[in-house]
Amino acid sequence: MRAQSAHVLTRRYGEEELLMDYTRLGNSGLRVSRLALGTIPFGSGGGFERIAGVCGDDARRQFREALDRGVNFIDTANLYSAGDAERVLGEIMGDKRDEVILTSKARMPTGEGPNDSGASRLHLTRAVEDSLQRLRTDHLDLLYIHQWDGQTPITETIATVNEMIRAGKIRYWGVSNFSAWQLTKTVYEAQLAGLEGPISQQVYYTPEAREIEYEMIPAARDLGVATFGWSPLGEGLLNGKVRRRRQTPSDTRQGTGWPEPHVADWKRAYDLIELFAQIANELDWSIPQIVISWILDRPGVDGTVIAARKFDHLTEDLDAAELTLPADARDRITVASQLPAFYPHWHRMTTAQDRPEPAEAEFHVEQRRHVFGNEQ
């Protein structure tokens, strides 16, 4: 929600004055822009050739544009183009390094060896050292554990990232793509050990994919962990180019046969895209601006990561930070994209609303209204 932003910065951009909302990440003192610049299109290699390729001056132009528009949160990962995205980012940051909150991720495979993957002390230490070298910096401001490692005790991961904090290699850490129970276990194991826990989770969230509303956002809110979305346009699914009974252009991510995202109901997805197009036409916005503005207004969502191969697509997405959906348009999207009330949610909503849980209250109000037709 806009109200959760802790600070709004007004800055001049050409002849205009632009606003950028900033939010505090979880219970930390770290303030970041609600839009983060993603670098998955940067570099080339490692199977990302179909969706990447932004290098040199093109990457530098994106980076400078984002900073000029108030973005101070830069997101990358050692997975992206097998580290080449980090290399490109390291080349273009230059003297702007201290103006940004720099994140990267580790845990995914970086080789074929038995220790070339995971969240063990050995792999994370090597991965972070390699990322720092590619990024041409001596520390990360935020390290995300990119996925749960079911073979490494989470206590080992927690101890390792805390060692990195003490060594000055990272400042904060977070998790990405963890389920609610995994996030909760991580937070409480850190507390039991008297160590620094994660301050943020980065998770997939779009109006087509609202699953994190069931448990993941409520868990994060209750635990004091921030929630940042990734790929607000659904890996290109919601960029306006994917339409019912039309050939998706081959120069788009979905047109390349990219395997993500998983879409459980294509009829629903196409129906939603048609609704976005209708609202975009009514407001004279783009479909990406409709989607991003809706996401930024959602309960418990601190921000989202935007990324684009084309410069005009990036500026279009950045413009969304300046836009607020009219209530009617926002509600039409929320109703049309409402997910079912799975157990135990339907049971709490029908039997236990005398003592509602604040961390999930807004979502249960929506489900009672849109699933059960209860206006109370």
Side-chain angles (χ1 to χ4, degrees):
M1 299 182 286
R2 301 279 183 182
Q4 71 195 23
S5 299
H7 180 65
V8 179
L9 174 67
T10 303
R11 62 194 297 143
R12 183 155 295 280
Y13 177 75
E15 297 301 316
E16 302 178 87
E17 280 195 348
L18 299 179
L19 300 178
M20 175 57 71
D21 285 359
Y22 293 80
T23 188
R24 190 163 64 96
L25 274 190
N27 288 329
S28 78
L30 191 63
R31 296 184 188 276
V32 299
S33 52
R34 296 196 67 210
L35 288 183
L37 175 65
T39 62
I40 196 169
F42 287 11
S44 184
F48 285 74
E49 294 85 355
R50 291 175 290 171
I51 67 167
V54 179
C55 300
D57 289 341
D58 291 334
R60 185 174 291 106
R61 187 184 183 199
Q62 285 201 16
F63 178 76
R64 294 302 176 94
E65 178 75 9
L67 265 62
D68 286 346
R69 301 282 289 270
V71 172
N72 76 336
F73 206 15
I74 309 298
D75 182 81
T76 192
N78 67 356
L79 176 70
Y80 302 161
S81 292
D84 203 42
E86 291 181 324
R87 182 191 60 78
V88 171
L89 181 57
E91 289 178 353
I92 66 175
M93 277 192 295
D95 61 1
K96 301 295 183 181
R97 167 63 185 94
D98 290 338
E99 296 183 21
V100 300
I101 304 303
L102 177 63
T103 83
S104 192
K105 308 179 191 75
R107 182 267 182 247
M108 299 303 194
T110 57
E112 300 297 328
N115 292 302
D116 289 339
S117 177
S120 68
R121 176 176 283 102
L122 179 64
H123 181 71
L124 288 182
T125 301
R126 286 177 175 173
V128 169
E129 292 290 350
D130 289 344
S131 289
L132 295 179
Q133 183 175 15
R134 287 189 292 264
L135 289 163
R136 304 185 183 187
T137 187
D138 63 356
H139 73 279
L140 296 172
D141 298 302
L142 175 64
L143 170 69
Y144 282 113
I145 307 303
H146 209 163
Q147 239 310 351
W148 181 257
D149 177 354
Q151 301 298 308
T152 298
I154 191 60
T155 50
E156 179 177 335
T157 303
I158 294 167
T160 300
V161 293
N162 273 262
E163 290 163 8
M164 292 181 188
I165 291 173
R166 289 192 294 271
K169 301 294 185 180
I170 66 174
R171 302 292 188 253
Y172 302 91
W173 72 289
V175 300
S176 184
N177 306 306
F178 278 34
S179 64
W181 75 262
Q182 292 163 350
L183 172 65
T184 303
K185 180 174 182 177
T186 301
V187 170
Y188 282 113
E189 287 286 4
Q191 290 182 2
L192 285 170
L195 297 173
E196 298 286 339
I199 65 168
S200 180
Q201 65 169 347
Q202 191 182 105
V203 288
Y204 181 61
Y205 186 56
T206 79
E208 187 276 328
R210 294 173 55 182
E211 295 89 349
I212 66 171
E213 296 176 6
Y214 288 119
E215 302 287 342
M216 296 166 71
I217 290 180
R221 294 173 98 179
D222 184 70
L223 296 165
V225 174
T227 295
F228 248 75
W230 60 262
S231 198
L233 303 182
E235 306 270 14
L237 176 68
L238 309 179
N239 63 9
K241 304 293 180 62
V242 179
R243 304 296 291 272
R244 182 182 271 121
R245 291 184 292 276
R246 292 189 198 173
Q247 182 70 35
T248 302
S250 60
D251 62 346
T252 65
R253 184 179 301 193
Q254 290 302 306
T256 68
W258 189 249
E260 295 177 333
H262 170 69
V263 178
D265 185 342
W266 274 101
K267 179 182 182 304
R268 173 178 174 272
Y270 284 131
D271 288 346
L272 287 173
I273 293 168
E274 290 178 0
L275 174 62
F276 303 152
Q278 180 181 346
I279 294 173
N281 185 62
E282 294 168 1
L283 298 178
D284 196 24
W285 295 9
S286 70
I287 289 179
Q289 288 170 344
I290 296 292
V291 172
I292 293 169
S293 183
W294 181 87
I295 289 171
L296 291 177
D297 199 43
R298 293 300 292 160
V301 175
D302 292 89
T304 193
V305 180
I306 59 171
R309 279 187 289 172
K310 296 182 179 179
F311 184 76
D312 59 335
H313 293 168
L314 175 68
T315 59
E316 183 180 280
D317 294 350
L318 288 167
D319 287 342
E322 291 284 301
L323 302 173
T324 300
L325 272 175
D328 175 68
R330 179 198 64 211
D331 292 345
R332 285 158 65 190
I333 294 171
T334 304
V335 172
S337 61
Q338 182 66 63
L339 292 176
F342 290 127
Y343 177 84
H345 301 278
W346 65 258
H347 198 270
R348 277 206 302 284
M349 283 183 275
T350 56
T351 65
Q353 285 307 300
D354 58 321
R355 296 190 175 192
E357 166 54 52
E360 62 188 5
E362 298 97 328
F363 304 123
H364 280 191
V365 167
E366 290 175 349
Q367 288 191 329
R368 290 200 308 273
R369 180 176 300 146
H370 306 148
V371 177
F372 298 108
N374 183 346
E375 294 298 325
Q376 297 296 318

